[in-house]
């Protein structure tokens, strides 16, 4: 793997440009995903480390953080770490949550929330984060892939009702197909879609473009491979060497260049990786780079 040059480790997230979420909340397009902070069953992350990473993200100009009450390990919950690190939250910090999967104490996702359970899940996030209103709540459907062919109308209506009530500012969707996005959008405005997409998995390209055309933020998860697959390949290596950057930085820069509505949410529990990820905000790939990396 390529090492980053020193010039590519100290940058503000603001260098990534901004996106106006729901047309009104302006955030830098280089954000942060909180899923790694509580660690996993197989990975211990010290509390002090997790809290320091969350604080450092904000110090580095990150103003969009993606989290969920269902991000927890036997030792910690992502929402608690964010609250400890950042509450009272900076006025310009946007915290997005997701609801949908029901996880048991062993972390297994055993079911999806019904429409009748949406309120208690939103209230759980409100309570854990210590806020009166959530900036963005996405209905997450299924597991990691987009689940087509299933109506999400009843669940999205339940979420939209909480927006009417003032508990939620903007609505989003995760792991959805174009048809499900259209179904939800007919019920209430959708401000964001969070699906799996990255330089090494570009299957959702049409939905990325659709979101850009409709002014909907697209927040790709696993932009860095999720830690499951190596972020490797000749194209990535070539472009990384060209910029004196790492493959991870190029993967983030590729997403930012791929669509103006991409808001990146790379996940890390490492301060060194966080610094590198934020520094990718200032990498601007050119047409030649994009041609090498885009399928
Ligand atoms: N909607 C959904 O279904 C869904 C599913 C999964 C995730 N998400 C969201 O998407 C966010 C991102 O997903 P993710 O964290 O699973 O995957 P990711 O951002 O693709 O990758 C995270 C993995 O890459 C490593 N990493 C991060 N920065 C690195 C760097 N600069 N160099 C080398 N390795 C690096 C991390 O390890 P270290 O901690 O050691 O850096 C971790 O193993 C999550 O935080 C969550 O908010 C959503």
């Amino acid at each position: 793997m390529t090492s980053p040059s020193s010039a590519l480790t100290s940058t503000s997230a603001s260098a990534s440009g901004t996106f106006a979420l729901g047309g009104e909340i302006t955030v830098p397009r280089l954000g942060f995903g909180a899923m790694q902070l509580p660690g996993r069953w197989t990975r211990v992350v010290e509390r002090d480390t997790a809290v320091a990473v969350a604080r450092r993200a904000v110090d580095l100009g990150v103003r969009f953080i993606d989290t969920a009450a269902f991000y927890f390990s036997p030792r910690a919950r992502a929402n608690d770490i964010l609250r400890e690190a950042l509450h009272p939250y900076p006025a310009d910090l946007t915290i997005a949550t997701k609801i949908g999967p029901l996880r048991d104490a062993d972390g297994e996702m055993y079911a999806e929330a019904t429409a009748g359970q949406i309120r208690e899940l939103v209230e759980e996030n409100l309570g854990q984060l210590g806020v009166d209103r959530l900036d963005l709540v996405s209905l997450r459907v299924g597991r990691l892939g987009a689940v087509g062919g299933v109506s999400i109308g009843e669940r999205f209506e339940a979420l939209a009702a909480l927006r009417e009530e003032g508990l939620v500012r903007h609505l989003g969707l995760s792991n959805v197909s174009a048809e499900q996005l259209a179904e939800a959008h007919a019920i209430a405005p959708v401000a964001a879609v969070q699906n799996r997409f990255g330089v090494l998995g570009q299957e959702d390209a049409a939905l990325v473009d659709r979101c850009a055309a409709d002014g909907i933020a697209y927040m790709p998860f696993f932009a860095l491979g999720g830690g499951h697959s190596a972020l490797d390949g000749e194209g990535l290596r070539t472009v990384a060497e060209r910029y004196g950057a790492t493959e991870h930085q190029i993967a983030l820069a590729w997403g930012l260049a791929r669509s103006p509505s991409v808001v990146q949410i790379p996940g890390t529990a490492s301060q060194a990786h966080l610094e590198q990820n934020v520094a990718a905000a200032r990498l601007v790939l050119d047409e030649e780079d994009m041609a090498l990396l885009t399928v």
Side-chain angles (χ1 to χ4, degrees):
M1 183 189 293
T2 318
S3 301
S5 70
S6 55
L8 276 172
T9 48
S10 56
T11 303
S12 167
S14 62
S16 58
T18 57
F19 185 85
L21 194 59
E24 56 144 6
I25 308 178
T26 300
V27 292
R29 295 171 64 216
L30 199 300
F32 175 75
M35 194 178 85
Q36 306 293 338
L37 294 183
R40 291 187 290 273
W41 269 251
T42 51
R43 180 193 192 190
V44 174
V45 175
E46 296 301 334
R47 181 78 169 203
D48 288 355
T49 303
V51 166
V53 167
R55 287 194 179 134
R56 184 68 182 142
V58 170
D59 286 348
L60 288 169
V62 167
R63 287 295 180 274
F64 183 87
I65 298 180
D66 182 72
T67 183
F70 59 84
Y71 290 163
F72 64 85
S73 75
R75 293 164 301 279
R77 301 189 297 206
N79 283 349
D80 294 344
I81 293 166
L82 293 178
R83 185 173 181 170
E84 181 181 336
L86 301 171
H87 196 279
Y89 305 108
D92 60 351
L93 177 67
T94 296
I95 299 183
T97 59
K98 292 179 291 298
I99 54 160
L102 304 178
R103 293 180 76 192
D104 64 21
D106 293 326
E108 288 304 315
M109 289 186 186
Y110 64 89
E112 284 189 51
T114 61
Q117 290 171 309
I118 298 292
R119 174 182 288 276
E120 70 182 271
L121 295 175
V122 165
E123 286 175 349
E124 181 185 29
N125 280 281
L126 285 165
Q128 288 179 1
L129 288 167
V131 293
D132 296 330
R133 184 172 67 156
L134 296 165
D135 296 323
L136 170 70
V137 179
S138 293
L139 174 66
R140 182 186 181 279
V141 187
R143 292 192 173 236
L144 292 180
V147 184
V150 178
S151 172
I152 57 168
E154 216 182 309
R155 284 173 283 173
F156 196 73
E157 272 169 16
L159 185 56
L162 300 179
R163 175 172 173 264
E164 290 297 312
E165 229 181 274
L167 300 184
V168 176
R169 190 162 167 186
H170 289 290
L171 306 173
L173 294 169
S174 180
N175 301 350
V176 290
S177 64
E179 294 70 30
Q180 288 165 327
L181 170 58
E183 183 189 18
H185 214 58
I187 295 166
V190 176
V193 167
Q194 185 176 123
N195 277 6
R196 187 174 187 161
F197 184 68
V199 69
L200 295 186
Q202 301 180 26
E203 292 81 6
D204 212 31
L207 196 60
V208 173
D209 294 335
R210 162 85 188 279
C211 286
D214 291 351
I216 297 171
Y218 186 96
M219 299 162 181
F221 69 83
F222 289 177
L224 302 177
H228 307 297
S229 42
L231 202 55
D232 210 357
E234 204 183 319
L236 270 175
R237 265 197 306 279
T238 303
V239 180
E241 278 166 19
R242 195 175 282 168
Y243 289 88
T246 70
E247 287 83 347
H248 290 76
Q249 290 177 313
I250 297 301
L252 293 173
W254 176 84
L256 294 173
R258 173 62 185 75
S259 168
S261 74
V262 161
V263 175
Q264 293 285 19
I265 49 166
T268 183
S270 145
Q271 193 158 315
H273 287 164
L274 170 74
E275 306 266 347
Q276 292 172 18
N277 294 344
V278 171
R282 61 185 272 249
L283 280 172
V284 180
L285 302 192
D286 65 19
E287 276 179 27
E288 194 185 335
D289 306 322
M290 293 306 284
L292 256 182
L293 297 173
T294 307
V295 175

